[in-house]
Amino acid sequence: MAERVMVVVGYESAELLDIACVTTSLSLANTIGRPAVPYRVVLAGPGGGPIVCDSGLSLAGQQSLERLVGPIDTLVVSGGMGFERAAADARLVGHVRRLAGESRRVASVCTGAGVLAAAGLLNGRRATTHWRFAPALAARHPEVVLDPTPIYIRDGNVYTAAGVTSALDLTLAFVEEDHGPELARQVARDLVVYLQRPANQAQMSLFTAAPPPRDPLVRTVVEYITAHPDHDLATAALADLVGVTPRHLTRLFTEHLGQAPGRFVRQARTEAAAHLLTSTTLPMARVAARCGFGTAESLRQAFTGRYGISPSRYRAAQTRRTPGTGVPAR
């Protein structure tokens, strides 16, 4: 019987969930769907010995990277706190590069993108990684078009997933590509997860994200933006609010938030719109006005650019997932 060989690469201090999300999802696809071409999952690492994860738990390696040969259907490099040592290991990186040339698809989960980047496999490609590690990866590999926002990104036959459980979204996408949406839905139900978050869905919300910036001036401006998305939030107006020049405010935002004030404002307004779309029944024009977009078309463009889905489709999808929970418009 033909098989789809799915190789998951681990190393010392890899993240257990990065590995398990992939392997468990593929195992369920075999069990539930009994596809004509099943998956054969192989956990490979340097030397083929046990992989001690960063949680302290050990996984038995099934194959050594050194002896592994293609053809391979999909090569997935896991992330974890040991990714920097892995990316600096010339032998490991060399074998990943070699095996990628023998694979139909190549992917990384979380900080595994650092290993793909070290192997030159992300050069000139759009890619993502865990938002916490994105600035360092972008600085180390300027040849990579890094976007820390989406859950996962596909650029040609190379896929990169954001952080940890985004491996579920990526693997469900593989199952759907290989065997159709019905099997992906069945696997998602058994995993008790959404079928798939849109690939371009933001990794985190402003309302549940990282702690406020340490700089008191930046924190003041951020709090003002999130509380008043419908106000004048031009960089000049925000600079006047805290008594600095627009240039100085831009420098502070770039230093502490990794982006200019204008980009942060657009992100905040889009997040606010997502909240209103799921918590009210306000018409689209009123959602746009409340969030500072001016018109429904401006909202649509910003929302689609950030989430990869239109506001109306997003609202409809959320309503289908949680029927009967709509909040009356206010």
Side-chain angles (χ1 to χ4, degrees), residues 72-128:
I72 295 169
D73 185 88
T74 307
L75 179 72
V76 183
V77 179
S78 59
M81 298 308 295
F83 83 96
E84 289 185 332
R85 289 194 302 273
D89 185 334
R91 291 184 64 188
L92 185 152
V93 169
H95 285 297
V96 167
R97 185 186 303 112
R98 172 181 62 83
L99 292 170
E102 302 176 37
S103 302
R104 182 173 70 91
R105 290 184 298 219
V106 178
S108 65
V109 178
C110 196
T111 50
V115 178
L116 293 190
L121 299 171
L122 299 182
N123 289 357
R125 295 185 185 272
R126 184 167 170 258
T128 193

Side-chain angles (χ1 to χ4, degrees), residues 56-253:
L57 298 177
S58 295
L59 297 175
Q62 297 169 299
Q63 181 65 272
S64 69
L65 283 177
E66 295 83 355
R67 295 184 177 182
L68 192 61
V69 295
I72 295 169
D73 185 88
T74 307
L75 179 72
V76 183
V77 179
S78 59
M81 298 308 295
F83 83 96
E84 289 185 332
R85 289 194 302 273
D89 185 334
R91 291 184 64 188
L92 185 152
V93 169
H95 285 297
V96 167
R97 185 186 303 112
R98 172 181 62 83
L99 292 170
E102 302 176 37
S103 302
R104 182 173 70 91
R105 290 184 298 219
V106 178
S108 65
V109 178
C110 196
T111 50
V115 178
L116 293 190
L121 299 171
L122 299 182
N123 289 357
R125 295 185 185 272
R126 184 167 170 258
T128 193
T129 189
H130 192 290
W131 61 268
R132 189 185 301 278
F133 298 94
L137 184 62
R140 188 176 296 117
H141 295 283
E143 67 279 8
V144 179
V145 185
L146 196 68
D147 184 350
T149 300
I151 294 293
Y152 68 88
I153 288 174
R154 175 184 182 180
D155 189 330
N157 73 326
V158 178
Y159 302 67
T160 49
V164 195
T165 58
S166 63
L168 288 172
D169 303 277
L170 179 63
T171 311
L172 286 171
F174 288 160
V175 172
E176 182 169 349
E177 282 184 23
D178 299 338
H179 302 293
E182 182 54 34
L183 181 54
R185 277 193 290 271
Q186 291 177 17
V187 172
R189 283 197 293 268
D190 269 44
L191 291 170
V192 196
V193 296
Y194 289 141
L195 169 60
Q196 264 177 263
R197 293 175 286 182
N200 284 340
Q201 180 172 314
Q203 289 188 39
M204 57 182 182
S205 165
L206 289 173
F207 304 108
T208 59
R214 293 180 179 179
D215 184 89
L217 187 148
V218 175
R219 185 164 60 248
T220 296
V221 176
V222 165
E223 290 172 352
Y224 182 84
I225 291 169
T226 55
H228 306 93
D230 58 334
H231 286 203
D232 179 3
L233 301 180
T235 301
L238 294 173
D240 285 343
L241 179 71
V242 290
V244 297
T245 65
R247 181 176 180 181
H248 184 61
L249 182 65
T250 298
R251 183 185 67 78
L252 288 174
F253 262 65

